[in-house]
Amino acid sequence: MSTALESKIRIQREDFSVTDEIEAIKKSSRNIGGITCFLGTGRELNKGKNIVELNFDHYPQMAEKKLAEIREKSIKDFGLIDMSIIHRVGNIDIGENIVLIIACGEHRQETFKACEWAIAELKRTTPIWKRETTSTGEVWVQATP
Amino acid sequence: MRVTVKYFASLKQMAGKEEDHFNVDEGTTLEQLSVLIGQSVSQLGDMVREKKVLISLNYDVVPLDTVVKDGDEIALLPPFSGGI
């Protein structure tokens, strides 16, 4: 098992394996009965324009702090057993993985709720910025719902 | 006192640099610091005062009347767009 997989909060340039991440977090408890994953990927179309490349900038120390806060609050407020959050930065091609949230609980309900809350909170509080490159140029994306 | 101001994403492009360092007097607020920021990068001072960007102090978003201390790290943050 790599050291990287043991960290529950990661911001990294390289891609990740959803399967490996699920297998890693399953080891945190034998009482996990439900796992919900949210995987965000790079899509080709935004507002009618073809995107050829995505690039993510971030504020490393603050982004890691905010993701850690989201994980801790998710576990506490929704009664999760564990959660991991991974976000990629740098250049990302269409179809590639961007963000992964894995919520683990004894039952399914709390994991569905926690996962939805966590991605919304990530978008609201975490200093990560997306730049889209289209055939007409580059644009920094404003906050999206 | 000396503080660091960091710029990210579109603001980094606008500023043409990643950070600035400013010498300030004791009791200086972020709003007062925005005047110095505006002298370095003209558009940014107004954007701070008009609340078009968030401002963080040592990794937490804070209001403009917050007083800075020696060694503080301030960042100007355009609207976030992480996730998808």
Side-chain angles (χ1 to χ4, degrees), chain B:
Chain B
M1 301 195 307
R2 190 168 168 84
V3 299
T4 300
V5 177
K6 290 179 171 272
Y7 310 117
F8 290 97
S10 55
L11 305 184
K12 182 164 56 183
Q13 284 186 331
M14 190 182 294
K17 52 191 165 186
E18 295 190 352
E19 63 182 38
D20 266 324
H21 300 276
F22 297 103
N23 293 313
V24 296
D25 295 329
E26 200 151 311
T28 298
T29 65
L30 290 172
E31 185 153 21
Q32 291 165 331
L33 179 64
S34 73
V35 176
L36 297 178
I37 294 171
Q39 288 168 1
S40 175
V41 185
S42 57
Q43 306 102 306
L44 289 183
D46 289 339
M47 290 177 80
V48 170
R49 288 187 294 276
E50 292 166 9
K51 298 184 178 170
K52 290 181 177 170
V53 298
L54 293 172
I55 190 158
S56 69
L57 179 69
N58 302 330
Y59 318 129
D60 282 311
V61 173
V62 293
L64 287 179
D65 60 1
T66 304
V67 173
V68 301
K69 300 187 300 297
D70 186 42
D72 275 348
E73 181 172 306
I74 293 116
L76 303 194
L77 311 170
F80 306 142
S81 53
I84 58 161

Side-chain angles (χ1 to χ4, degrees), chain A:
Chain A
M1 184 66 58
S2 71
T3 305
L5 282 179
E6 291 167 12
S7 170
K8 305 290 172 59
I9 295 295
R10 299 200 322 264
I11 298 174
Q12 61 188 46
R13 288 187 168 271
E14 62 270 23
D15 197 6
F16 50 78
S17 159
V18 176
T19 305
D20 288 352
E21 300 300 336
I22 292 171
E23 288 305 314
I25 199 168
K26 275 167 71 177
K27 291 185 172 63
S28 62
S29 170
R30 289 174 56 83
N31 209 31
I32 292 172
I35 297 176
T36 295
C37 300
F38 173 79
L39 175 65
T41 59
R43 67 174 182 274
E44 190 170 46
L45 274 177
N46 189 20
K47 297 177 182 171
K49 287 192 173 173
N50 265 316
I51 300 165
V52 294
E53 188 182 75
L54 298 167
N55 182 281
F56 286 84
D57 191 11
H58 74 306
Y59 183 4
Q61 299 93 330
M62 184 173 170
E64 285 168 17
K65 181 174 189 277
K66 294 302 166 190
L67 292 186
E69 288 172 1
I70 291 168
R71 176 177 177 269
E72 285 165 21
K73 192 166 170 54
S74 294
I75 291 171
K76 180 171 174 283
D77 290 359
F78 295 94
L80 296 184
I81 293 173
D82 208 348
M83 172 176 271
S84 61
I85 308 176
I86 304 164
H87 202 300
R88 291 181 63 203
V89 292
N91 288 335
I92 294 178
D93 286 334
I94 302 307
E96 285 190 355
N97 297 329
I98 298 173
V99 58
L100 177 67
I101 298 177
I102 306 175
C104 305
E106 289 183 26
H107 306 284
R108 68 183 185 282
Q109 293 94 338
E110 62 265 33
T111 67
F112 283 127
K113 290 176 186 168
C115 214
E116 182 163 25
W117 179 83
I119 184 63
E121 194 69 358
L122 182 156
K123 291 173 74 66
R124 192 180 72 82
T125 67
T126 306
I128 299 175
W129 300 274
K130 178 166 61 177
R131 189 183 68 206
E132 293 177 347
T133 303
T134 69
S135 56
T136 56
E138 294 179 349
V139 62
W140 288 99
V141 177
Q142 296 296 305
T144 53

